[in-house]
Amino acid sequence: MRSKLLIRSGKYEDAHCLAALATQVWLHTYATDGITAEIAAYVISELTPGNYSSVLGDPSCHVFVAQNGNSLVGFSVIKFNTRGPVDSNSSVELQTLYVQENFIGHGVGTLLLRAAEAKARQRSNGALWLTVNAKNARAIAFYARHGYTMIGTTYFALGEGRHENHVLVGPNA
Ligand SMILES: CC(C)(COP(=O)(O)OP(=O)(O)OC[C@H]1O[C@@H](n2cnc3c(N)ncnc32)[C@H](O)[C@@H]1OP(=O)(O)O)[C@@H](O)C(=O)NCCC(=O)NCCS
């Protein structure tokens, strides 16, 4: 890590950086066989500055960013009052947890997860639920180390494809 890492709440001015960072992390994580038309359409239409501006302005969401110097290197998004596809005692979804590949393994993901859990504790029992791609072994191991357990399965639709996801809940759920 080149300079001191700061975890702070997201602000409107971050929308462009969040869109670029999300696109980079998403493509690196999921587009491992190249770019299909479905992948291109998803990234270009969903991971946009406009959508991130909406999330940043949504009182039912909270964004944390990891800032290294002047650069954003990761972020997390939680959404309150959402029930998962599988019943649990958690009503707060961890919608996103992304760390730029160059900063993986330095504790950034843990700091962003802890910040999200602490914010969730202010409004609920603090337990988060989330979905993670069943092939995303690194993220699954990361959540397991943080006490997250699998409670079911759901599917993420992309074009014609359905991608198996694990539904996880954090401690206290
Ligand atoms: C899953 C993800 C968020 C984890 O983020 P991360 O920043 O690498 O996580 P951490 O660094 O906190 O923890 C990972 C490892 O680094 C180690 N680590 C933690 N703090 C550290 C530090 N200060 N210095 C060195 N290593 C450290 C941890 O012990 C852990 O090692 P382990 O696997 O031996 O237990 C990240 O891999 C990611 O963004 N992946 C791509 C997107 C994705 O899959 N997101 C989840 C979708 S649901």
Side-chain angles (χ1 to χ4, degrees), residues 56-80:
L56 287 160
D58 182 345
S60 72
C61 291
H62 197 91
V63 178
F64 286 102
V65 304
Q67 185 172 335
N68 187 52
N70 290 326
S71 306
L72 299 194
V73 300
F75 69 102
S76 56
V77 180
I78 54 174
K79 188 171 177 65
F80 300 100

Side-chain angles (χ1 to χ4, degrees), residues 116-127:
E117 289 172 339
K119 180 57 89 178
R121 270 196 296 280
Q122 292 175 4
R123 291 214 214 169
S124 73
N125 65 2

Side-chain angles (χ1 to χ4, degrees), residues 41-116:
Y42 175 79
V43 166
I44 287 166
S45 63
E46 296 298 324
L47 306 181
T48 62
N51 281 354
Y52 280 106
S53 291
S54 301
V55 170
L56 287 160
D58 182 345
S60 72
C61 291
H62 197 91
V63 178
F64 286 102
V65 304
Q67 185 172 335
N68 187 52
N70 290 326
S71 306
L72 299 194
V73 300
F75 69 102
S76 56
V77 180
I78 54 174
K79 188 171 177 65
F80 300 100
N81 301 318
T82 51
R83 289 285 165 193
V86 179
D87 239 14
S88 77
N89 286 330
S90 171
S91 61
V92 186
E93 179 184 9
L94 179 65
Q95 288 195 320
T96 307
L97 178 60
Y98 289 164
V99 176
Q100 196 191 40
E101 192 64 25
N102 296 337
F103 290 84
I104 295 275
H106 291 280
V108 178
T110 298
L111 290 173
L112 288 166
L113 181 64
R114 286 199 189 127

